[in-house]
Coordinates of all heavy atoms in Angstrom, one line a residue:
M11 N 168.8 236.3 34.7 CA 167.7 236.4 33.8 C 168.2 236.9 32.4 O 169.1 237.7 32.3 CB 166.6 237.4 34.3 CG 165.4 237.5 33.4 SD 164.1 238.4 34.2 CE 164.4 240.0 33.5
I12 N 167.6 236.3 31.4 CA 168.0 236.6 30.0 C 166.8 237.3 29.4 O 165.7 236.7 29.3 CB 168.5 235.4 29.2 CG1 169.7 234.8 29.9 CG2 168.8 235.8 27.8 CD1 170.0 233.5 29.3
K13 N 167.0 238.5 28.8 CA 165.9 239.2 28.1 C 166.3 239.5 26.7 O 167.5 240.0 26.5 CB 165.5 240.4 28.9 CG 164.4 241.2 28.2 CD 164.2 242.5 29.0 CE 163.3 243.5 28.2 NZ 163.2 244.8 28.9
T14 N 165.5 239.3 25.7 CA 165.8 239.7 24.3 C 164.8 240.9 24.0 O 163.7 240.8 24.2 CB 165.6 238.6 23.4 OG1 166.4 237.5 23.8 CG2 166.0 239.0 22.0
T15 N 165.4 242.0 23.6 CA 164.6 243.2 23.2 C 164.0 243.0 21.9 O 164.3 242.2 21.1 CB 165.5 244.5 23.3 OG1 166.5 244.3 22.3 CG2 166.1 244.6 24.6
K16 N 163.1 243.9 21.6 CA 162.4 243.9 20.3 C 163.4 244.1 19.1 O 163.2 243.6 18.0 CB 161.3 244.9 20.2 CG 160.1 244.7 21.1 CD 159.1 245.8 21.0 CE 157.9 245.6 21.9 NZ 157.0 246.6 22.0
D17 N 164.4 244.8 19.3 CA 165.4 245.0 18.3 C 166.5 244.0 18.3 O 167.5 244.1 17.6 CB 166.0 246.4 18.4 CG 166.7 246.8 19.6 OD1 166.7 245.9 20.6 OD2 167.2 247.9 19.7
G18 N 166.4 242.9 19.1 CA 167.3 241.8 19.0 C 168.5 241.8 20.0 O 169.3 241.0 20.0
R19 N 168.6 242.9 20.9 CA 169.7 242.9 21.9 C 169.4 241.9 23.0 O 168.3 241.6 23.3 CB 169.8 244.3 22.4 CG 170.3 245.3 21.3 CD 170.4 246.8 21.8 NE 169.0 247.3 22.1 CZ 168.6 247.5 23.3 NH1 169.3 247.4 24.4 NH2 167.4 248.0 23.4
T20 N 170.5 241.5 23.6 CA 170.4 240.6 24.8 C 170.7 241.3 26.0 O 171.8 242.0 26.1 CB 171.4 239.4 24.5 OG1 171.0 238.6 23.4 CG2 171.3 238.4 25.7
I21 N 169.9 241.2 27.0 CA 170.1 241.9 28.3 C 170.2 240.8 29.4 O 169.3 240.0 29.5 CB 169.0 242.8 28.7 CG1 168.7 243.8 27.5 CG2 169.3 243.6 30.0 CD1 169.8 244.8 27.2
L22 N 171.3 240.7 30.1 CA 171.5 239.7 31.1 C 171.6 240.4 32.5 O 172.1 241.5 32.6 CB 172.9 239.0 30.9 CG 173.1 238.3 29.6 CD1 174.5 237.8 29.4 CD2 172.1 237.2 29.4
T23 N 171.0 239.7 33.4 CA 171.1 240.2 34.8 C 171.4 239.1 35.7 O 171.3 237.9 35.5 CB 169.7 240.9 35.2 OG1 168.7 239.9 35.1 CG2 169.3 242.1 34.4
G24 N 171.8 239.4 37.0 CA 172.0 238.5 38.1 C 173.1 237.5 37.7 O 174.1 237.8 37.1
R25 N 172.8 236.2 38.0 CA 173.7 235.2 37.7 C 174.1 235.0 36.2 O 175.3 234.6 35.9 CB 173.2 233.8 38.3 CG 173.2 233.8 39.8 CD 172.7 232.4 40.3 NE 172.6 232.5 41.7 CZ 171.8 231.8 42.4 NH1 171.0 230.9 41.8 NH2 171.7 231.8 43.7
D26 N 173.2 235.2 35.4 CA 173.4 235.2 33.9 C 174.5 236.2 33.5 O 175.4 235.9 32.7 CB 172.2 235.4 33.1 CG 171.3 234.2 33.4 OD1 171.7 233.0 33.1 OD2 170.1 234.4 33.7
Y27 N 174.4 237.4 34.1 CA 175.5 238.4 33.8 C 176.8 238.0 34.4 O 177.9 238.2 33.7 CB 175.0 239.8 34.2 CG 176.0 240.9 33.8 CD1 175.8 241.4 32.5 CD2 177.0 241.4 34.6 CE1 176.7 242.4 32.0 CE2 177.9 242.4 34.1 CZ 177.7 242.8 32.8 OH 178.5 243.8 32.3
T28 N 176.8 237.5 35.6 CA 178.0 237.0 36.2 C 178.7 235.9 35.4 O 179.9 235.9 35.1 CB 177.7 236.5 37.6 OG1 177.2 237.6 38.4 CG2 179.0 236.0 38.3
R29 N 177.9 235.0 34.9 CA 178.4 233.9 34.0 C 179.0 234.4 32.7 O 180.1 234.0 32.2 CB 177.4 232.8 33.8 CG 177.2 231.9 35.0 CD 176.3 230.7 34.6 NE 174.9 231.0 34.4 CZ 174.0 230.9 35.4 NH1 174.3 230.7 36.6 NH2 172.8 231.2 35.1
F30 N 178.3 235.4 32.2 CA 178.7 236.1 30.9 C 180.1 236.7 31.1 O 181.0 236.6 30.3 CB 177.7 237.1 30.5 CG 178.2 238.0 29.3 CD1 178.3 237.5 28.1 CD2 178.5 239.3 29.6 CE1 178.8 238.3 27.0 CE2 179.0 240.1 28.6 CZ 179.1 239.6 27.3
R31 N 180.2 237.4 32.2 CA 181.4 238.1 32.6 C 182.6 237.1 32.8 O 183.7 237.4 32.3 CB 181.2 238.9 33.9 CG 182.4 239.8 34.4 CD 181.9 240.7 35.5 NE 183.0 241.5 36.0 CZ 183.7 241.2 37.1 NH1 183.3 240.1 37.8 NH2 184.7 241.9 37.4
E32 N 182.3 236.0 33.5 CA 183.4 235.0 33.6 C 183.8 234.4 32.3 O 184.9 234.0 32.1 CB 182.8 233.9 34.7 CG 182.7 234.5 36.0 CD 181.9 233.6 37.0 OE1 181.2 232.6 36.5 OE2 181.9 233.8 38.2
R33 N 182.8 234.2 31.4 CA 183.1 233.5 30.1 C 184.0 234.4 29.4 O 184.9 234.0 28.7 CB 181.8 233.2 29.4 CG 182.1 232.6 28.1 CD 180.8 232.0 27.5 NE 181.1 231.4 26.2 CZ 180.3 231.4 25.2 NH1 179.1 232.0 25.3 NH2 180.6 230.9 24.1
L34 N 183.6 235.8 29.3 CA 184.5 236.8 28.6 C 185.9 236.8 29.1 O 186.9 236.8 28.4 CB 183.8 238.1 28.6 CG 184.5 239.3 27.9 CD1 184.6 238.9 26.4 CD2 183.7 240.6 28.1
F35 N 186.0 236.8 30.5 CA 187.3 236.7 31.1 C 188.1 235.5 30.6 O 189.3 235.6 30.3 CB 187.0 236.8 32.7 CG 188.3 236.6 33.5 CD1 189.1 237.7 33.8 CD2 188.7 235.4 33.9 CE1 190.2 237.6 34.5 CE2 189.9 235.3 34.7 CZ 190.6 236.5 35.0
A36 N 187.5 234.4 30.6 CA 188.2 233.1 30.2 C 188.6 233.2 28.8 O 189.7 232.8 28.4 CB 187.3 231.9 30.6
L37 N 187.7 233.7 27.9 CA 188.1 233.8 26.5 C 189.2 234.6 26.2 O 189.9 234.5 25.2 CB 186.8 234.2 25.7 CG 185.7 233.2 25.6 CD1 184.4 233.8 24.9 CD2 186.2 232.0 24.7
Q38 N 189.3 235.6 27.0 CA 190.5 236.6 26.9 C 191.7 236.2 27.7 O 192.7 237.0 27.8 CB 190.0 238.1 27.2 CG 189.1 238.6 26.3 CD 188.7 240.1 26.5 OE1 187.7 240.6 26.0 NE2 189.5 240.8 27.3
A39 N 191.6 235.0 28.3 CA 192.8 234.4 29.0 C 193.2 235.4 30.2 O 194.3 235.5 30.5 CB 194.0 234.1 28.1
G40 N 192.2 236.1 30.8 CA 192.5 236.9 31.9 C 193.3 238.2 31.6 O 194.0 238.7 32.4
M41 N 193.2 238.6 30.3 CA 193.9 239.8 29.9 C 193.0 240.9 29.4 O 191.9 240.7 28.8 CB 194.9 239.4 28.8 CG 195.9 238.4 29.2 SD 197.0 237.9 27.8 CE 198.0 239.3 27.7
C42 N 193.5 242.2 29.6 CA 192.8 243.3 29.1 C 192.9 243.3 27.6 O 194.0 243.2 27.0 CB 193.4 244.6 29.7 SG 192.8 246.1 29.0
D43 N 191.8 243.6 26.8 CA 191.8 243.6 25.4 C 192.6 244.8 24.8 O 193.0 244.8 23.7 CB 190.4 243.6 24.9 CG 190.3 243.3 23.4 OD1 190.6 242.2 23.0 OD2 189.9 244.2 22.6
E44 N 192.7 245.8 25.7 CA 193.4 247.0 25.2 C 194.9 247.1 25.5 O 195.7 247.1 24.6 CB 192.8 248.2 25.9 CG 193.2 249.6 25.4 CD 192.5 250.0 24.1 OE1 191.4 249.4 23.8 OE2 192.9 250.9 23.5
C45 N 195.3 246.9 26.7 CA 196.7 247.0 27.1 C 197.4 245.6 27.2 O 198.6 245.6 27.4 CB 196.9 247.8 28.4 SG 196.4 246.9 29.9
R46 N 196.6 244.5 27.1 CA 197.1 243.2 27.3 C 197.7 242.8 28.6 O 198.3 241.8 28.8 CB 198.1 242.8 26.2 CG 197.6 243.1 24.7 CD 196.3 242.5 24.3 NE 196.4 241.1 24.4 CZ 195.3 240.3 24.4 NH1 194.1 240.8 24.5 NH2 195.4 239.0 24.4
G47 N 197.4 243.7 29.6 CA 197.8 243.4 31.0 C 196.9 242.3 31.6 O 195.7 242.2 31.2
Y48 N 197.4 241.6 32.6 CA 196.6 240.6 33.3 C 195.5 241.4 34.3 O 195.9 242.3 34.9 CB 197.4 239.6 34.1 CG 198.1 238.6 33.1 CD1 199.4 238.8 32.8 CD2 197.3 237.6 32.6 CE1 199.9 237.9 31.8 CE2 197.9 236.7 31.7 CZ 199.2 236.8 31.4 OH 199.8 236.0 30.5
V49 N 194.4 240.8 34.4 CA 193.4 241.4 35.2 C 192.8 240.3 36.1 O 193.0 239.1 36.0 CB 192.2 242.0 34.4 CG1 192.7 243.2 33.6 CG2 191.6 241.0 33.4
S50 N 192.0 240.7 37.1 CA 191.4 239.7 38.1 C 189.9 240.0 38.2 O 189.5 241.1 38.3 CB 192.1 239.9 39.4 OG 191.5 239.2 40.4
L51 N 189.2 238.9 38.3 CA 187.7 239.0 38.6 C 187.5 239.2 40.1 O 186.4 239.6 40.5 CB 187.0 237.6 38.2 CG 186.8 237.4 36.8 CD1 186.4 235.9 36.5 CD2 185.8 238.3 36.2
L52 N 188.5 239.0 40.9 CA 188.4 239.1 42.4 C 188.6 240.4 42.9 O 188.3 240.7 44.1 CB 189.2 238.0 43.0 CG 189.0 236.6 42.6 CD1 189.9 235.6 43.2 CD2 187.6 236.1 42.9
R53 N 189.3 241.3 42.2 CA 189.6 242.7 42.7 C 188.4 243.6 42.7 O 187.5 243.4 41.9 CB 190.7 243.3 41.9 CG 192.0 242.6 42.0 CD 193.1 243.3 41.3 NE 194.4 242.6 41.4 CZ 195.4 243.1 42.0 NH1 195.4 244.2 42.6 NH2 196.5 242.4 42.0
E54 N 188.4 244.6 43.5 CA 187.3 245.6 43.6 C 187.3 246.4 42.2 O 188.4 246.6 41.7 CB 187.6 246.6 44.7 CG 187.5 245.9 46.1 CD 186.1 245.5 46.4 OE1 185.1 246.1 46.0 OE2 186.0 244.4 47.1
L55 N 186.2 246.7 41.8 CA 186.1 247.4 40.5 C 186.8 248.7 40.3 O 187.2 249.1 39.3 CB 184.6 247.7 40.2 CG 183.8 246.4 39.8 CD1 182.3 246.8 39.5 CD2 184.3 245.7 38.6
E56 N 187.1 249.3 41.5 CA 187.9 250.6 41.5 C 189.4 250.3 41.2 O 190.1 251.2 40.8 CB 187.7 251.3 42.8 CG 186.4 251.8 43.0 CD 185.4 250.7 43.6 OE1 185.9 249.7 44.1 OE2 184.2 250.9 43.5
D57 N 189.8 249.1 41.3 CA 191.2 248.7 41.2 C 191.6 248.7 39.7 O 190.8 248.3 38.8 CB 191.5 247.3 41.8 CG 192.9 246.9 41.8 OD1 193.5 246.7 40.7 OD2 193.4 246.8 42.9
D58 N 192.8 249.2 39.3 CA 193.3 249.3 38.0 C 193.3 248.0 37.3 O 193.2 247.8 36.1 CB 194.6 250.0 37.9 CG 194.6 251.5 38.0 OD1 193.4 252.0 38.0 OD2 195.6 252.1 38.1
H59 N 193.5 246.9 38.1 CA 193.7 245.5 37.5 C 192.5 244.7 37.7 O 192.6 243.5 37.5 CB 194.9 244.9 38.2 CG 196.2 245.7 38.0 ND1 196.8 245.8 36.8 CD2 196.9 246.4 38.9 CE1 197.9 246.6 36.9 NE2 197.9 247.0 38.2
S60 N 191.3 245.3 37.9 CA 190.1 244.5 38.0 C 189.5 244.3 36.6 O 189.8 245.1 35.6 CB 189.0 245.2 38.9 OG 188.7 246.5 38.3
F61 N 188.7 243.3 36.4 CA 188.1 243.0 35.0 C 186.8 243.7 34.9 O 185.9 243.6 35.7 CB 187.9 241.6 34.9 CG 187.4 241.1 33.6 CD1 188.3 241.1 32.5 CD2 186.1 240.7 33.4 CE1 187.8 240.7 31.3 CE2 185.7 240.3 32.1 CZ 186.5 240.3 31.1
H62 N 186.7 244.5 33.7 CA 185.4 245.3 33.4 C 184.9 244.8 32.1 O 185.7 244.6 31.1 CB 185.7 246.8 33.3 CG 186.1 247.3 34.6 ND1 185.3 248.3 35.3 CD2 187.1 247.2 35.5 CE1 185.8 248.6 36.4 NE2 187.0 248.0 36.5
V63 N 183.6 244.6 32.0 CA 183.0 244.4 30.7 C 182.7 245.8 30.0 O 182.0 246.6 30.6 CB 181.6 243.6 30.8 CG1 181.0 243.5 29.4 CG2 181.9 242.3 31.4
H64 N 183.3 246.0 28.9 CA 183.1 247.2 28.1 C 182.1 246.9 26.9 O 182.4 246.1 26.1 CB 184.4 247.8 27.6 CG 184.2 249.0 26.8 ND1 183.8 250.3 27.3 CD2 184.4 249.3 25.4 CE1 183.7 251.1 26.3 NE2 184.1 250.6 25.2
H65 N 181.0 247.6 26.9 CA 180.0 247.5 25.8 C 180.4 248.4 24.7 O 180.5 249.6 24.8 CB 178.6 247.8 26.3 CG 178.1 246.9 27.4 ND1 178.5 246.9 28.6 CD2 177.3 245.8 27.2 CE1 177.9 245.9 29.3 NE2 177.2 245.2 28.5
L66 N 180.7 247.9 23.5 CA 181.2 248.6 22.4 C 180.3 249.7 21.9 O 180.7 250.7 21.4 CB 181.6 247.7 21.2 CG 182.8 246.7 21.6 CD1 183.0 245.7 20.5 CD2 184.1 247.4 21.9
N67 N 179.0 249.4 22.0 CA 178.0 250.4 21.5 C 177.5 251.2 22.7 O 176.6 252.0 22.5 CB 176.8 249.7 20.9 CG 177.3 249.0 19.5 OD1 178.1 249.7 18.8 ND2 176.7 247.9 19.2
G68 N 178.0 251.0 23.9 CA 177.6 251.8 25.0 C 176.3 251.3 25.6 O 175.4 250.9 24.9
R69 N 176.2 251.3 26.9 CA 175.0 250.9 27.6 C 173.9 252.0 27.6 O 172.8 251.8 27.7 CB 175.2 250.4 29.0 CG 176.0 249.0 29.0 CD 176.4 248.7 30.4 NE 175.2 248.3 31.1 CZ 175.3 247.7 32.3 NH1 176.4 247.3 32.8 NH2 174.2 247.4 32.9
G70 N 174.4 253.2 27.5 CA 173.5 254.4 27.5 C 172.8 254.5 28.9 O 172.9 253.8 29.8
M71 N 172.0 255.6 29.0 CA 171.2 255.8 30.2 C 170.2 254.7 30.3 O 169.3 254.6 29.4 CB 170.6 257.2 30.1 CG 171.6 258.3 30.1 SD 172.5 258.4 31.7 CE 171.2 259.0 32.8
G72 N 170.2 254.0 31.4 CA 169.2 253.0 31.6 C 169.4 251.8 30.7 O 168.5 251.0 30.6
G73 N 170.5 251.6 30.1 CA 170.8 250.5 29.3 C 170.2 250.6 27.9 O 170.0 249.6 27.2
G74 N 170.0 251.8 27.4 CA 169.3 251.9 26.1 C 169.9 251.2 24.9 O 169.2 250.8 24.0
K75 N 171.3 251.1 24.9 CA 171.9 250.4 23.8 C 172.6 249.2 24.2 O 173.4 248.6 23.5 CB 173.0 251.4 23.2 CG 172.3 252.6 22.5 CD 173.4 253.5 21.9 CE 172.9 254.8 21.3 NZ 173.9 255.6 20.8
R76 N 172.4 248.7 25.4 CA 173.1 247.6 26.0 C 172.8 246.4 25.3 O 171.7 246.0 24.9 CB 172.6 247.5 27.5 CG 173.2 246.3 28.2 CD 172.7 246.3 29.6 NE 173.1 245.1 30.3 CZ 172.8 244.8 31.5 NH1 172.0 245.7 32.3 NH2 173.2 243.7 32.1
D77 N 173.9 245.6 25.0 CA 173.8 244.3 24.3 C 174.9 243.4 25.0 O 176.1 243.6 24.7 CB 174.0 244.5 22.8 CG 173.8 243.1 22.1 OD1 173.2 242.2 22.6 OD2 174.1 243.1 20.9
D78 N 174.4 242.5 25.8 CA 175.3 241.6 26.5 C 175.6 240.4 25.7 O 175.2 239.3 26.0 CB 174.7 241.2 27.9 CG 174.5 242.4 28.8 OD1 175.3 243.4 28.7 OD2 173.6 242.4 29.6
T79 N 176.4 240.6 24.7 CA 176.9 239.4 23.8 C 178.3 239.5 23.7 O 178.9 240.6 23.8 CB 176.2 239.4 22.4 OG1 176.5 240.6 21.8 CG2 174.7 239.3 22.6
L80 N 179.0 238.4 23.3 CA 180.5 238.4 23.1 C 180.8 239.3 21.9 O 181.9 239.9 21.9 CB 180.9 237.0 23.0 CG 180.8 236.1 24.1 CD1 181.2 234.7 23.8 CD2 181.6 236.6 25.4
E81 N 180.0 239.4 21.0 CA 180.2 240.2 19.8 C 180.2 241.7 20.1 O 180.8 242.5 19.4 CB 179.3 239.9 18.7 CG 179.4 238.4 18.2 CD 178.7 237.5 19.1 OE1 177.7 237.8 19.8 OE2 179.0 236.3 19.0
A82 N 179.5 242.1 21.1 CA 179.2 243.5 21.4 C 180.0 244.0 22.6 O 179.9 245.1 23.0 CB 177.7 243.7 21.7
C83 N 180.9 243.1 23.2 CA 181.6 243.5 24.5 C 183.0 243.1 24.3 O 183.4 242.1 23.6 CB 181.0 242.8 25.7 SG 179.3 243.3 26.0
I84 N 183.9 243.8 25.1 CA 185.3 243.3 25.3 C 185.6 243.5 26.8 O 184.9 244.2 27.5 CB 186.3 244.2 24.4 CG1 186.2 245.7 24.8 CG2 186.2 243.9 23.0 CD1 187.3 246.5 24.1
G85 N 186.6 242.8 27.2 CA 187.0 242.9 28.6 C 188.2 243.8 28.7 O 189.1 243.7 28.0
L86 N 188.1 244.7 29.7 CA 189.2 245.7 29.9 C 189.6 245.7 31.4 O 188.8 245.4 32.3 CB 188.7 247.1 29.5 CG 188.3 247.3 28.1 CD1 187.8 248.8 27.9 CD2 189.5 247.1 27.1
C87 N 190.8 246.2 31.6 CA 191.2 246.4 33.0 C 190.5 247.7 33.5 O 190.0 248.5 32.6 CB 192.7 246.6 33.1 SG 193.4 248.0 32.2
G88 N 190.5 248.0 34.7 CA 189.8 249.2 35.2 C 190.4 250.5 34.6 O 189.7 251.4 34.3
K89 N 191.7 250.5 34.5 CA 192.4 251.7 34.0 C 191.9 252.0 32.5 O 191.5 253.1 32.2 CB 193.9 251.6 34.1 CG 194.7 252.8 33.6 CD 196.1 252.6 33.8 CE 196.9 253.8 33.4 NZ 197.5 253.8 32.1
C90 N 192.0 251.0 31.7 CA 191.6 251.2 30.3 C 190.1 251.5 30.2 O 189.7 252.2 29.3 CB 191.9 249.9 29.5 SG 193.8 249.7 29.2
H91 N 189.3 250.8 31.0 CA 187.9 251.1 31.0 C 187.5 252.5 31.3 O 186.7 253.2 30.7 CB 187.1 250.1 31.9 CG 185.7 250.0 31.6 ND1 184.7 250.0 32.6 CD2 185.0 249.9 30.4 CE1 183.5 249.9 32.1 NE2 183.6 249.9 30.8
R92 N 188.2 253.1 32.4 CA 188.0 254.5 32.7 C 188.4 255.4 31.6 O 187.7 256.4 31.3 CB 188.7 254.8 34.0 CG 188.0 254.4 35.3 CD 188.7 254.9 36.5 NE 190.1 254.6 36.6 CZ 190.6 253.4 37.1 NH1 189.7 252.5 37.5 NH2 191.8 253.1 37.1
E93 N 189.5 255.0 30.9 CA 190.0 255.9 29.8 C 189.0 255.9 28.6 O 188.8 256.9 27.9 CB 191.3 255.4 29.3 CG 192.5 255.7 30.3 CD 193.8 255.2 29.9 OE1 193.9 254.6 28.8 OE2 194.8 255.5 30.7
K94 N 188.3 254.8 28.4 CA 187.3 254.7 27.4 C 186.1 255.6 27.7 O 185.5 256.1 26.7 CB 186.8 253.3 27.2 CG 187.7 252.3 26.6 CD 187.8 252.5 25.1 CE 188.7 251.3 24.6 NZ 189.0 251.6 23.2
H95 N 185.7 255.8 28.9 CA 184.5 256.6 29.3 C 184.8 258.0 29.7 O 183.9 258.8 29.7 CB 183.8 255.8 30.4 CG 183.1 254.6 29.9 ND1 182.0 254.6 29.2 CD2 183.5 253.3 30.0 CE1 181.6 253.4 28.8 NE2 182.5 252.6 29.3
Q96 N 186.1 258.3 30.1 CA 186.3 259.7 30.6 C 186.9 260.5 29.5 O 188.0 260.0 28.9 CB 187.2 259.7 31.8 CG 186.5 259.1 33.0 CD 187.4 259.0 34.3 OE1 188.6 259.2 34.2 NE2 186.9 258.6 35.4
P97 N 186.4 261.6 29.2 CA 187.0 262.5 28.1 C 188.4 262.9 28.5 O 188.7 263.2 29.7 CB 186.0 263.6 28.0 CG 185.2 263.7 29.3 CD 185.2 262.3 29.9
R98 N 189.2 262.9 27.5 CA 190.6 263.5 27.7 C 190.6 264.9 27.3 O 189.9 265.4 26.5 CB 191.5 262.7 26.8 CG 191.7 261.2 27.2 CD 192.7 260.6 26.2 NE 192.8 259.2 26.7 CZ 194.0 258.6 26.7 NH1 195.0 259.2 26.4 NH2 194.0 257.4 27.1
R99 N 191.6 265.6 27.9 CA 191.7 267.1 27.6 C 192.9 267.3 26.8 O 194.0 266.9 27.1 CB 191.8 267.8 28.9 CG 190.5 267.7 29.8 CD 190.3 268.6 30.9 NE 189.8 270.0 30.7 CZ 188.7 270.3 30.1 NH1 188.0 269.5 29.5 NH2 188.4 271.6 30.1
I100 N 192.7 267.9 25.6 CA 193.8 268.2 24.7 C 193.7 269.7 24.5 O 192.7 270.2 24.0 CB 193.8 267.4 23.4 CG1 194.0 265.9 23.7 CG2 194.9 267.9 22.5 CD1 193.8 265.0 22.6
L101 N 194.7 270.5 24.8 CA 194.8 271.9 24.6 C 193.5 272.6 25.2 O 193.0 273.4 24.6 CB 195.0 272.3 23.2 CG 196.3 271.8 22.5 CD1 196.2 272.0 21.0 CD2 197.5 272.4 23.2
G102 N 193.2 272.1 26.4 CA 192.0 272.7 27.1 C 190.6 272.3 26.6 O 189.6 272.9 27.1
R103 N 190.6 271.5 25.6 CA 189.3 271.0 25.1 C 189.1 269.5 25.4 O 190.0 268.7 25.4 CB 189.2 271.2 23.6 CG 189.5 272.6 23.2 CD 189.5 272.7 21.7 NE 188.0 272.9 21.3 CZ 187.7 273.0 20.1 NH1 188.5 273.1 19.1 NH2 186.3 273.2 19.8
S104 N 187.9 269.1 25.7 CA 187.5 267.7 26.0 C 187.4 266.9 24.6 O 186.9 267.5 23.7 CB 186.2 267.6 26.7 OG 186.3 268.1 28.0
V105 N 188.0 265.8 24.6 CA 188.0 264.9 23.5 C 187.4 263.6 24.0 O 188.0 262.9 24.8 CB 189.4 264.7 22.9 CG1 189.4 263.7 21.8 CG2 190.0 266.0 22.5
V106 N 186.3 263.2 23.4 CA 185.7 261.9 23.8 C 186.1 260.8 22.8 O 186.1 261.0 21.6 CB 184.2 262.0 23.8 CG1 183.5 260.7 24.1 CG2 183.7 263.1 24.7
Q107 N 186.5 259.7 23.4 CA 187.0 258.6 22.5 C 185.8 257.7 22.1 O 184.8 257.6 22.7 CB 188.0 257.7 23.2 CG 189.2 258.4 23.6 CD 190.2 257.4 24.0 OE1 190.0 256.2 24.2 NE2 191.4 257.9 24.5

């Protein structure tokens, strides 16, 4: 299903989101946009080499800022995607990227 919000964002679900994910994967030639390592659509999401859609503006709680467009997303490997979302600790303080 494709939904357009009042503020112009695109929300995809089900097969439409799966097709979007596959298209992003193909456009990036099966590589992580961050580390340039090869990724797979077939691996479990917990795997470091699985393909993840990263929303540049963040999906927020309940998808508040979610925009499922090629301009608003990049494809990352599992490892790089976790690093984007988990705060790093520097000298005992959390640093959010």
Side-chain angles (χ1 to χ4, degrees):
M11 183 171 93
I12 301 171
K13 175 184 172 185
T14 303
T15 63
K16 290 179 183 178
D17 61 357
R19 292 176 292 111
T20 300
I21 309 295
L22 303 174
T23 58
R25 290 183 184 154
D26 292 309
Y27 189 80
T28 299
R29 283 192 287 270
F30 169 73
R31 186 173 175 259
E32 291 167 347
R33 183 169 178 218
L34 183 60
F35 176 84
L37 287 171
Q38 291 186 196
M41 296 176 79
C42 173
D43 194 66
E44 188 80 16
C45 71
R46 307 306 297 162
Y48 285 101
V49 293
S50 171
L51 284 170
L52 303 176
R53 293 185 183 247
E54 295 294 324
L55 287 175
E56 295 79 21
D57 190 291
D58 281 352
H59 303 287
S60 63
F61 185 74
H62 292 246
V63 176
H64 177 66
H65 295 78
L66 297 172
N67 293 323
R69 289 176 68 169
M71 293 295 288
K75 296 180 183 177
R76 177 178 173 179
D77 187 11
D78 297 330
T79 61
L80 295 174
E81 298 78 23
C83 298
I84 58 173
L86 299 175
C87 68
K89 181 175 184 259
C90 289
H91 197 222
R92 281 189 301 278
E93 288 176 1
K94 290 279 185 190
H95 288 282
Q96 292 177 352
R98 293 179 178 223
R99 297 191 87 49
I100 298 175
L101 300 175
R103 302 179 85 180
S104 291
V105 178
V106 179
Q107 293 187 4

